[in-house]
Amino acid sequence: MGPGPVGGDQADRPPGLPHRAGGGALEVIAVVVAVGSFAALFLLWRFYYFFRDPERRPPPGDDVLAPADGYVVYVHTVRAGEVPVAIKGRRSIPLEELTALPGIGGEGTLIGIFMTPASVHVNRAPIGGVVRRRVHRAANRNRSMARVLTNLLVGRRPYAEDCRYLVENERNTIVIEGDRLTVAVTQIADAWVSNIVCRVAEGDTIERGARYGMIRFGSQADLFIPAGVPIQVLCREGERVGAGESILARIGGNG
């Protein structure tokens, strides 16, 4: 009599293919290890890397410094209190709407800095002086800033075109009056932000380059320099800058 039928999975396996004992278990282990590694990296970013706060040494002088780490997404000339940003079918938005500062207007320069997930999210004073105003505006829902991040990654300009977070998201603005210049800094929250931290109050004195706040888990910081004092803007769109170190504008330049 010839050999009987082969039982088990050997009957269905093509000739020449070895039997892999425990192959399914190994695949499960590989998936678990991969997921665990991703989770560990996320937790490392979430609770350590994101909250890093390296020391910064402001350059000497009174040049205007970046209030945030990140990339410059626009440098706009403000005229008659209007910012030339196209949002929701409008060709410009009021500076008062962007900063949440009642009565602000006139002429000046607005610089927007987008903070990526890899940026240090501690905010620093662009000039030294006295905090004259502090205004916070809540939001019903913060919109995602994914569009501006995508535009930066692919090099699509203008980076912030039709980004509705510029007028709809939560924000906090402080006005710093220095010896030669007064500026306004606006912290704008992203969709994933747990809260905006601002550790200065009206009447406080702050040093140039000093820490004053933080936007947790994302966002943008805008710097408005009113006209009246000649300045020379030294940054450009797409440039990477560092809070408290990078010079955005020089007072007394040929602006």
Side-chain angles (χ1 to χ4, degrees):
M1 296 179 61
V6 179
D9 64 349
Q10 294 182 4
D12 301 323
R13 189 172 65 250
L17 290 183
H19 176 64
R20 295 190 304 167
L26 291 176
E27 291 174 358
V28 171
I29 292 173
V31 170
V32 171
V33 170
V35 172
S37 299
F38 176 80
L41 289 173
F42 174 78
L43 292 174
L44 180 65
W45 171 82
R46 173 66 169 77
F47 293 103
Y48 175 74
Y49 186 74
F50 182 88
F51 288 100
R52 69 196 188 283
D53 183 12
E55 291 297 327
R56 300 286 171 87
R57 294 184 178 180
D62 57 2
D63 297 328
V64 182
L65 305 179
D69 279 25
Y71 291 85
V72 177
V73 290
Y74 49 70
V75 180
H76 288 311
T77 298
V78 179
R79 293 186 174 91
E82 291 289 322
V83 182
V85 177
I87 298 176
K88 295 191 294 186
R90 296 184 292 175
R91 301 185 64 180
S92 65
I93 57 175
L95 182 65
E96 181 175 339
E97 188 174 355
L98 191 147
T99 62
L101 285 174
I104 192 172
E107 320 292 317
T109 301
L110 181 70
I111 302 171
I113 301 172
F114 174 73
M115 290 172 272
T116 73
S119 300
V120 173
H121 281 64
V122 175
N123 301 128
R124 293 174 178 265
I127 65 171
V130 179
V131 178
R132 294 302 184 190
R133 300 178 70 181
R134 174 183 168 179
V135 177
H136 175 264
R137 189 181 78 198
N140 293 328
R141 179 174 68 92
N142 286 335
R143 290 186 174 272
S144 171
M145 296 183 179
R147 180 168 185 158
V148 70
L149 176 59
T150 301
N151 289 344
L152 277 168
L153 291 174
V154 302
R156 184 189 300 124
R157 299 190 184 191
Y159 298 122
E161 183 176 13
D162 203 29
C163 290
R164 297 173 65 176
Y165 72 82
L166 285 174
V167 294
E168 296 184 12
N169 288 20
E170 177 189 3
R171 65 205 57 220
N172 185 85
T173 297
I174 62 172
V175 175
I176 305 174
E177 180 184 352
D179 293 335
R180 303 178 61 189
L181 190 69
T182 297
V183 302
V185 187
T186 302
Q187 300 164 291
I188 306 175
D190 197 355
W192 325 113
V193 170
S194 54
N195 66 313
I196 295 177
V197 177
C198 181
R199 297 189 176 95
V200 294
E202 293 181 359
D204 287 351
T205 299
I206 189 168
E207 295 182 1
R208 175 174 170 267
R211 303 172 180 88
Y212 82 88
M214 181 180 190
I215 312 180
R216 293 179 177 171
F217 308 117
S219 314
Q220 182 169 317
D222 279 20
L223 171 67
F224 176 63
I225 307 173
V229 176
I231 64 166
Q232 179 185 6
V233 176
L234 301 179
C235 62
R236 64 185 186 279
E237 291 184 2
E239 180 180 354
R240 185 179 179 180
V241 296
E245 289 185 334
S246 298
I247 298 173
L248 300 187
R250 178 154 293 152
I251 301 175
N254 299 318

